Amino acid sequence: MTESPSQRRPTILDVARAAGVSRAAVSKVIRDAYGVSPAMRERVLAAIEELDYRPSAAARGLRGSSYTIGMELPHLTNPFLTEIADGARQALLGTPYHLVVAPAAGPERGAIEALVDHRVDGIIAISPLVQPDWLEELALRVPLVMVGIHDDAASYDTVVGDDVEGARQVMGHLLGLGHRRIAHLTEGEEVTAARSTPHALRLQSYLECMREAGLERHVRVVHVKNEQDEARDATLALLREPDRPSAVFAAHDSLAIGALAAISESGLTASDVAVVGYDNIALAGHPLISLTSVDQSGRSLGQQAVAMIRERLEGRADARRFMAQPRLVVRSSSAAAAASVEESSGRARRRTPHRADASTGVSPTR
């Protein structure tokens, strides 16, 4: 007894019959190849959806493509990274490609190698500690886009935010509010001391802005692991110091939320200690959090990374860089410095110079 299409897994031939086209035409649509009219593509995609057709990954691999894009994430605890992954997922909707996420459970290079072993067609990675020479060699074998790494790459693409400008927007905002004792809460020294990582550039900009404002004696850099609890503990220690900071610039929002928890537990408010984060994750806009933060649109970064991978798959060979422009979103976590501090700040409270007009990219929100 022969099974009907509804009783077994549909095949490419079933799709071709339902769409009224040849198997070759269905294959072209699946591969997103040239030479397919919009009308034919629409019929084939409709038949694929109706039949719930899913090509075998093994068969696709044997034909030279797995139709999967691999994405390596250093960890899953930072909501900004999941926003980037979600942007990549959204960009692949309606295409024959699927996203495979590999969290790094140890050295980031291991997760990338696992994706290569699974024969993905391209890799998007967020690996600040992987050596560029190794990445250059890898990019000769598989299309590669690095997110958040300011490398001058020859063989792979990079998608970054303008971390220097973003950090200067933060510092200009805090200095303009009269703050002098501004602490910088950032990740471990292995990250900030690495090559051009976002956190290295944000730290560099913080130090430059403090120096330009004549506030070198108030520089305070605190390194923590990438965890809210450790950021909370570090901030509690800062608040116990006799000359506690009046503001905290956190290198990303998860650290900023840990700092806000410490300030609340200490019975203080934004009027006592201002906090500014970076990444503008969804939680930052919650009315009970209301965190001032730099928005660099994580989902847009993920979408851009997918676009560049697909360009590579279509034959582009030259290395390219995409840089997103940051925008400071001002909320209630960053209040003006107390009057006593503001009065004593004198000449040092002048606004830090920006590479663009100070009003550019700063927008108040509810």
Side-chain angles (χ1 to χ4, degrees):
M1 180 177 174
T2 304
E3 292 180 314
S4 68
S6 62
Q7 295 173 313
R8 57 176 170 76
R9 182 172 179 172
T11 67
I12 192 171
L13 183 57
D14 296 323
V15 174
R17 287 170 176 164
V21 299
S22 67
R23 288 184 56 175
V26 175
S27 178
K28 279 189 174 183
V29 171
I30 292 173
R31 291 184 289 110
D32 200 22
Y34 294 107
V36 179
S37 70
M40 179 184 293
R41 184 181 303 277
E42 185 176 345
R43 292 204 309 275
V44 171
L45 291 177
I48 288 174
E49 182 175 358
E50 179 183 354
L51 298 174
D52 194 24
Y53 172 66
R54 294 178 60 81
S56 162
R60 289 179 296 183
L62 289 174
R63 291 197 300 268
S65 177
S66 67
Y67 294 99
T68 55
I69 303 297
M71 178 170 238
E72 176 273 333
L73 299 178
H75 45 73
L76 298 177
T77 56
N78 187 334
F80 182 65
L81 301 185
T82 58
E83 287 184 8
I84 295 174
D86 190 54
R89 178 195 63 81
Q90 291 175 355
L92 291 173
L93 293 176
T95 77
Y97 293 94
H98 298 275
L99 188 68
V100 177
V101 177
E108 296 164 357
R109 178 169 162 175
I112 298 175
E113 289 174 331
L115 290 171
V116 174
D117 292 341
H118 280 78
R119 299 178 61 84
V120 296
D121 294 332
I123 294 176
I124 300 168
I126 308 174
S127 301
L129 301 182
V130 176
Q131 292 301 310
D133 289 346
W134 186 81
L135 293 174
E136 292 284 4
E137 182 180 345
L138 173 66
L140 298 177
R141 294 185 286 142
V142 59
L144 175 65
V145 175
M146 298 299 298
V147 178
I149 301 299
H150 296 257
D151 285 342
D152 185 15
S155 304
Y156 56 91
D157 298 332
T158 55
V159 173
V160 297
D162 190 340
D163 293 291
V164 171
E165 172 61 18
R168 282 187 166 266
Q169 288 185 18
V170 172
M171 294 301 293
H173 174 63
L174 291 174
L175 290 166
L177 290 172
H179 293 283
R180 299 176 64 215
R181 297 192 301 276
I182 304 171
H184 185 45
L185 186 62
T186 187
E187 292 197 8
E189 292 185 57
E190 71 279 4
V191 176
T192 59
R195 66 188 196 282
S196 301
T197 66
H199 296 298
L201 295 180
R202 293 170 198 172
L203 171 58
Q204 174 187 325
S205 295
Y206 161 78
L207 295 173
E208 289 176 352
C209 290
M210 292 293 280
R211 182 176 64 252
E212 291 165 8
L215 299 174
E216 295 98 325
R217 66 188 182 283
H218 293 306
V219 165
R220 188 76 167 86
V221 179
V222 180
H223 295 276
V224 298
K225 292 181 180 178
N226 188 35
E227 298 174 0
Q228 286 185 24
D229 287 345
E230 188 162 335
R232 166 190 165 273
D233 293 343
T235 305
L236 285 172
L238 279 175
L239 298 177
R240 287 193 291 265
E241 294 180 358
D243 204 19
R244 77 182 184 208
S246 68
V248 175
F249 167 24
H252 61 72
D253 285 349
S254 292
L255 301 182
I257 290 171
L260 288 175
I263 291 166
S264 178
E265 289 176 27
S266 301
L268 303 173
T269 68
S271 297
D272 302 301
V273 183
V275 177
V276 179
Y278 209 108
D279 293 336
N280 196 33
I281 62 174
L283 188 59
H286 191 285
L288 297 179
I289 302 294
S290 193
L291 174 66
T292 296
S293 185
V294 175
D295 185 6
Q296 55 178 343
S297 186
R299 286 183 175 82
S300 295
L301 296 181
Q303 292 166 358
Q304 182 63 38
V306 165
M308 296 174 89
I309 280 287
R310 297 198 66 190
E311 289 174 2
R312 287 282 190 172
L313 293 172
E314 291 170 3
R316 177 172 60 80
D318 58 305
R320 295 183 183 175
R321 170 184 291 189
F322 173 83
M323 179 175 286
Q325 294 306 305
R327 177 177 63 94
L328 183 67
V329 180
V330 178
R331 300 188 178 96
S332 59
S333 70
S334 55
S340 59
V341 175
E342 186 173 353
E343 290 169 1
S344 65
S345 61
R347 293 183 299 274
R349 65 171 296 211
R350 62 184 180 273
R351 183 182 291 271
T352 297
H354 282 222
R355 291 188 295 175
D357 186 271
S359 62
T360 302
V362 181
S363 63
T365 188
R366 292 180 295 177

